[in-house]
Amino acid sequence: MKNSTDIQQAFHERLDEGELMNCMRCGFCLPACPTYIHTGGNELHSPRGRIAMMKAVHDGEMAPTEEMKASLDLCLGCRACEPACPAGVTYGHLLEESRAIFAEHEEKSPVHKLVFGDLFPKPKRMKQAIGAVRLYQKSGLQKVTRTIGFLSLFPKGMKELEETLPEVIPKKERVHRAVYHAVGEKKATVAFFTGCLMDTLFHPTNKATIGLLQLAGCEVVVPAEQACCGALHGHAGEKAKGIEMAKHNITAFEASEADHIVLNAGGCGAFLQEYDTLLVKEEGDWPERAKRFAQKIQDFSSVLFTLGFIESIPLKLEEKTITFQDSCHLRNGQHVFKEPRALLQAIQGTHYVEMANADSCCGSAGVYNMLQPEMAGEILKEKMNKVNDTQADVIVTANPGCLLQMKAGCNQHSDTLTTEAMHLADLLWESVGQEQRQNVMN
């Protein structure tokens, strides 16, 4: 491996030796790890095995290898091993630091530079890209492309992504007011983190989320200067860019002086909640500012639940069976899992069925399903079998990547499933009824 000596030195200097030592090799993480399970119990692809390699490189007992890097790349970063670990090892931090070290010593492809350097960090370009998607959908090009089978020339993951993309609404409708006032008594002031994909591909879901917060008694502030959270960068080893975006967002939200910073994407929320860890070694007052920011992060479902949304707003839908798929980072990162279920179970006319292994990864994991399509496909297939067992009409989740992945699963298994995938906010918005929605519109 090129730069082997430099990589090994970086492992020795940057990985937390105490955290590496915390792993007791007990194996409690193994049944929780999707890649360990789907590789037939290969220790190389388990949290315990990966930490053992990290420690060996850190201690100078082995040189970093391509096999080690491939193992780190195959990890979903779902962090299901963390709640299973009796020693409380923060595996996610070790994984992201290890990936960052490897990434800093390899040449980036043009596509990598485009996505992580020029697209996600720059809201204007992100909006332009989504505008191009809308043109593709509305010009007739999408229909022609599908008819002639042009997408079959591209990787499978690309074709599946195209098939699950929601209809992009016009640019003039993808805007926010600076402030949305509470409906009725004001109970809290929250700042809303819009996100990249959520505010472009899933803009109506963001508007639904804001409407729900208003009905719950929140004054909702939307800081104009916010940008991408940096989660995809952090997971892909682009730590420096993640730090840059963290500082940008902290600055953008400080002026709001809100009680909470609220969002509806589990992956983004977990990364935002760990800005304090990301910036802990930065100079000046950044560590303290990051800590104050991180302490305010709340998933919208937690805010609704805490403010008594269920007790104050009647929720009702036509008869249907619903189930819930946990966002890994919402559950394992933010430790939110009871609140979404409580909200769903409060909807009159529905029957909630808990899915077996709802807390296991669906295979999306950011852009994992694009980079590791074979493993992602195996994981998704197993997940859809669990969905089928529930006989649910709707499978609900709370993260854009998970939502696209579940939509792909519903499409792939349409011969055995009639299930629709929805974001939690969209289903709740539908369930509040026209009269309540009108109160928000006014």
Side-chain angles (χ1 to χ4, degrees), residues 123 225-228 243-253 286:
E225 297 302 315
Q226 61 180 294
C228 173
I243 290 174
E244 178 185 322
M245 287 185 282
K247 290 180 178 180
H248 179 98
N249 283 321
I250 290 169
T251 301
F253 276 83
W286 281 113

Side-chain angles (χ1 to χ4, degrees), residues 220-241:
V220 184
V221 180
V222 185
E225 297 302 315
Q226 61 180 294
C228 173
C229 68
L232 289 180
H233 298 77
H235 302 331
E238 293 288 340
K239 184 177 180 180
K241 182 62 72 172

Side-chain angles (χ1 to χ4, degrees), residues 45 54 88 100 105 161 189 218 251 271 359 361 404:
H45 300 306
M54 294 174 195
H105 292 86
L161 175 63
T189 299
C218 295
T251 301
F271 196 74
D359 58 345
C361 188
L404 290 173

Side-chain angles (χ1 to χ4, degrees), residues 403-421:
L403 181 57
L404 290 173
Q405 183 79 336
M406 299 315 300
K407 284 180 178 290
C410 291
N411 288 344
Q412 292 169 23
H413 299 269
S414 58
D415 54 334
T416 57
L417 287 171
T418 57
T419 309
E420 175 188 10

Side-chain angles (χ1 to χ4, degrees), residues 344-383:
L344 290 174
Q345 291 170 14
I347 303 174
Q348 299 176 37
T350 65
H351 174 54
Y352 179 82
V353 178
E354 181 68 17
M355 177 170 53
N357 302 122
D359 58 345
S360 66
C361 188
C362 65
S364 170
V367 293
Y368 184 92
N369 52 355
M370 302 292 292
L371 301 175
Q372 304 283 348
E374 185 175 343
M375 178 61 72
E378 289 182 20
I379 292 170
L380 179 59
K381 182 179 179 181
E382 180 176 329
K383 177 63 65 176

